[in-house]
Amino acid sequence: MYGTADVSGSDWEGLFRPVSHRSVMFEFEVPEVDYTQYSNRQLVAVPLVVLGLALAVLGGWYLVTGAPVSPSIDFTGGSELTVESSLSQAELRDNTFDEPVVSVQQVEGENRYIITFDSSNLEPIEETARSSDQMEFLGSGTTSPIFGQENQRLAVVGIGVAFLGMSLLVFAMFRSVVPSIAVVLSAFSDLVIPLAVMNLLGIKLSLGTVAALLMLIGYSVDSDILLNNHVLRRSGGFYESTYRAMRTGVTMTLTSMAAMAVMAISATIFGIELMASIGFVLVVGLAADLMNTYMLNVTLLRWYKYEGVKR
């Protein structure tokens, strides 16, 4: 119908094929989606339903806890203790300290741990560590509630400024309301969905995950602008232009997802909790970006090009 992708017969057969008989590298072909088989309502329904569910999770979380996302000690204040011990992570978490333990992270070898507490009072925590025969005290640190609130304010301001700058840039590029709204709505959904999944899986919002969310804003804008630019500014029909953008955008996104998945799995294996959380947030956000770009954004662009501009 349009494009040049060779996906027929058994559909996915041949998507990965050797570049040459001497090479171990593989060429990835993006399957050509026949958008004409789906109405605008069918295409836009899935991303809007997922966005609605994500907003419901965040709203419910806010009603129950007072915050849409569970914050880490970066925003609430707390303490960290570094020890060397022969005890397991479970034993350190459950049976060693009187203060509630938030997390136990293994670092720099088999017997070194960073233990996180909600409390900012280090004295009893350090005393327990120093007096124990099963662990060696190595260091400690605290984040005050006031400093945590300042971090929270800066994080909110940072995300807000990034969104505002992204919106102004997109509108300046396309000078049209519908394509600009499509990009902004996709980026918003790319943020909300990972936040909801973080709540469901118990991943707390930290400075590291905020950085991952800021990365998602940039990535979402990049993939959406790529699509808009192909459809609105380059020659060719709507579906041909969409497929050209998909060949670049989908390959780029899947490659990034694979890299972030490897990082998250490796960090989980080695007990690097922060890197695992960042990798997981990016994988979920990039998966959401695929859905929002090539279902939500494509739908709005198709309506704009075939119906909206005629009115």
Side-chain angles (χ1 to χ4, degrees):
M1 182 183 122
Y2 54 84
T4 58
D6 183 16
V7 183
S8 58
S10 58
D11 292 331
W12 297 99
E13 183 178 356
L15 284 182
F16 296 89
R17 61 188 184 197
V19 174
S20 69
H21 67 283
R22 295 182 179 180
S23 173
V24 296
M25 298 181 63
F26 291 86
E27 177 186 0
F28 174 71
E29 283 191 22
V30 176
E32 184 177 350
V33 179
D34 187 358
Y35 282 103
T36 61
Q37 294 183 358
Y38 308 97
S39 67
N40 287 341
R41 289 185 179 181
Q42 288 175 319
L43 284 174
V44 81
V46 174
L48 288 185
V49 167
V50 174
L51 175 59
L53 291 174
L55 289 173
V57 169
L58 295 181
W61 212 264
Y62 178 80
L63 292 176
V64 173
T65 66
V69 186
S70 299
S72 69
I73 66 169
D74 292 340
F75 301 122
T76 62
S79 307
E80 285 187 347
L81 193 71
T82 305
V83 299
E84 190 167 326
S85 175
S86 58
L87 298 174
S88 67
Q89 287 179 285
E91 290 172 329
L92 288 172
R93 181 184 296 108
D94 300 330
N95 304 318
T96 305
F97 297 93
D98 295 330
E99 297 288 341
V101 175
V102 175
S103 66
V104 179
Q105 181 178 341
Q106 190 172 6
V107 294
E108 297 183 18
E110 297 181 356
N111 299 320
R112 187 166 295 188
Y113 301 92
I114 295 178
I115 309 172
T116 305
F117 304 86
D118 281 328
S119 174
S120 298
N121 185 10
L122 265 175
E123 290 186 8
I125 298 172
E126 286 189 5
E127 182 178 350
T128 300
R130 293 179 189 276
S131 60
S132 174
D133 296 331
Q134 296 178 303
M135 71 180 72
E136 179 184 353
F137 173 78
L138 299 178
S140 62
T142 61
T143 299
S144 70
I146 295 177
F147 184 69
Q149 291 175 2
E150 180 66 13
N151 284 342
Q152 188 172 3
R153 185 185 69 83
L154 290 175
V156 172
V157 169
I159 293 177
V161 169
F163 240 99
L164 177 62
M166 173 266 294
S167 303
L168 294 175
L169 174 63
V170 170
F171 187 79
M173 288 183 64
F174 296 105
R175 304 293 181 89
S176 183
V177 175
V178 174
S180 302
I181 289 177
V183 175
V184 173
L185 183 59
S186 293
F188 175 73
S189 183
D190 289 350
L191 287 185
V192 170
I193 293 172
L195 287 173
V197 175
M198 285 170 59
N199 282 342
L200 296 176
L201 296 183
I203 299 175
K204 294 189 175 183
L205 187 69
S206 64
L207 291 176
T209 51
V210 167
L213 294 173
L214 290 173
M215 291 172 64
L216 283 174
I217 292 177
Y219 197 98
S220 176
V221 172
D222 182 53
S223 59
D224 288 322
I225 287 179
L226 172 69
L227 175 63
N228 287 15
N229 193 53
H230 274 273
V231 171
L232 300 177
R233 292 186 172 181
R234 296 194 179 184
S235 60
F238 175 83
Y239 299 107
E240 179 185 358
S241 300
T242 299
Y243 180 61
R244 283 203 310 263
M246 288 182 67
R247 282 188 296 182
T248 301
V250 172
T251 302
M252 180 176 64
T253 302
L254 291 179
T255 302
S256 300
M257 287 178 63
M260 293 304 101
V262 170
M263 183 183 80
I265 294 171
S266 301
T268 301
I269 293 173
F270 290 103
I272 309 174
E273 185 176 338
L274 178 59
M275 294 300 294
S277 298
I278 291 174
F280 178 79
V281 169
L282 288 173
V283 169
V284 174
L286 291 173
D289 183 62
L290 276 177
M291 176 186 67
N292 290 318
T293 300
Y294 300 108
M295 294 183 75
L296 178 60
N297 198 356
V298 163
T299 301
L300 293 175
L301 286 177
R302 185 167 70 174
W303 176 88
Y304 171 75
K305 189 150 186 178
Y306 288 115
E307 300 179 41
V309 295
K310 296 179 181 179
R311 297 180 179 178

